[in-house]
């Protein structure tokens, strides 16, 4: 992770892509969101979706997996260049979660994150707070997922001057 001071508002990063298969949709739904239109093609055809579609929670969980993998790759690259890596702190939560369009079998979703705001933490001087709009769009460029997340990011340690 970049240190808080090196993060810029407006910075946008594509974190990865994922293609939703029928097997993956059904497996996720069976464990976490067992609604008929996520589990069975015939039931999905009779639903307002018209065909099998992924759970919104599935689309959000894929975002989480891809963002973690993306950060790990970036951190590994920083370490390989001999650079320090900032710690990522806890997340106090997210807001404005929207599932904007169904994700169907065969859809490839491209996930991204964009820094929309940042500020210093008033109670923890070694941390900054980053706010980002996170999104997913299908292969036609249509938005399917959007939410705003907040996370603590380590500030660069203060260099003490030797007299």
């Amino acid at each position: 992770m970049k240190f808080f001071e090196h993060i810029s508002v407006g910075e946008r990063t594509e974190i990865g892509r994922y293609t939703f298969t029928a097997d993956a949709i059904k497996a996720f739904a069976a464990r976490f969101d067992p609604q008929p239109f996520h589990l069975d093609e015939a039931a999905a055809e009779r639903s307002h979706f018209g065909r099998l579609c992924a759970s919104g929670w599935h689309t959000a969980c894929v975002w989480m997996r891809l963002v973690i993998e993306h950060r790990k790759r970036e951190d590994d690259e920083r370490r390989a260049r001999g650079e320090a890596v900032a710690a990522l702190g806890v997340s106090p939560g997210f807001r404005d979660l929207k599932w904007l369009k169904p994700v169907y079998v065969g859809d490839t979703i491209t996930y991204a994150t964009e820094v929309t705001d940042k500020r210093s933490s008033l109670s923890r001087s070694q941390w900054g707070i980053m706010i980002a709009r996170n999104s997913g769009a299908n292969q036609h460029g249509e938005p399917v997922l959007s939410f705003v997340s907040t996370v603590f990011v380590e500030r660069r340690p203060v260099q003490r001057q030797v007299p």
Side-chain angles (χ1 to χ4, degrees):
M1 185 73 193
K2 290 182 188 178
F3 284 95
F4 178 75
E5 292 78 7
H6 299 137
I7 295 170
S8 300
V9 171
E11 196 175 300
R12 184 180 189 281
T13 305
E14 188 176 296
I15 61 168
R17 292 186 176 94
Y18 181 85
T19 300
F20 286 80
T21 65
D23 288 345
I25 289 170
K26 290 176 186 179
F28 183 92
R31 289 193 67 200
F32 303 109
D33 191 357
Q35 298 182 75
F37 43 81
H38 299 318
L39 292 168
D40 178 78
E41 283 88 348
E45 283 181 31
R46 293 187 303 273
S47 77
H48 55 283
F49 293 112
R51 55 192 159 129
L52 191 70
C53 64
S55 165
W57 295 112
H58 189 179
T59 64
C61 286
V62 169
W63 174 88
M64 189 75 226
R65 174 68 183 234
L66 291 176
V67 79
I68 296 300
E69 290 173 355
H70 176 79
R71 287 179 182 152
K72 183 182 180 325
R73 281 191 308 273
E74 283 192 331
D75 288 352
D76 289 347
E77 290 169 7
R78 282 186 184 86
R79 286 185 188 98
R81 293 189 303 262
E83 298 173 14
V85 174
L88 189 62
V90 297
S91 171
F94 67 92
R95 61 183 165 84
D96 299 331
L97 173 62
K98 296 177 185 172
W99 292 303
L100 302 163
K101 189 169 187 66
V103 172
Y104 294 109
V105 173
D107 280 351
T108 298
I109 308 305
T110 300
Y111 292 91
T113 186
E114 181 177 349
V115 178
T116 58
D117 196 12
K118 66 180 234 181
R119 61 183 168 81
S120 297
S121 171
L122 298 176
S123 60
R124 298 178 177 140
S125 61
Q126 71 275 26
W127 295 98
I129 299 169
M130 178 181 74
I131 300 167
R133 165 129 343 250
N134 305 286
S135 61
N138 66 21
Q139 65 275 13
H140 307 294
E142 301 165 322
V144 300
L145 172 73
S146 176
F147 65 98
V148 176
S149 61
T150 304
V151 66
F152 282 86
V153 179
E154 184 181 16
R155 296 183 68 106
R156 208 168 232 322
V158 176
Q159 299 293 328
R160 296 186 183 199
Q161 304 235 344
V162 178

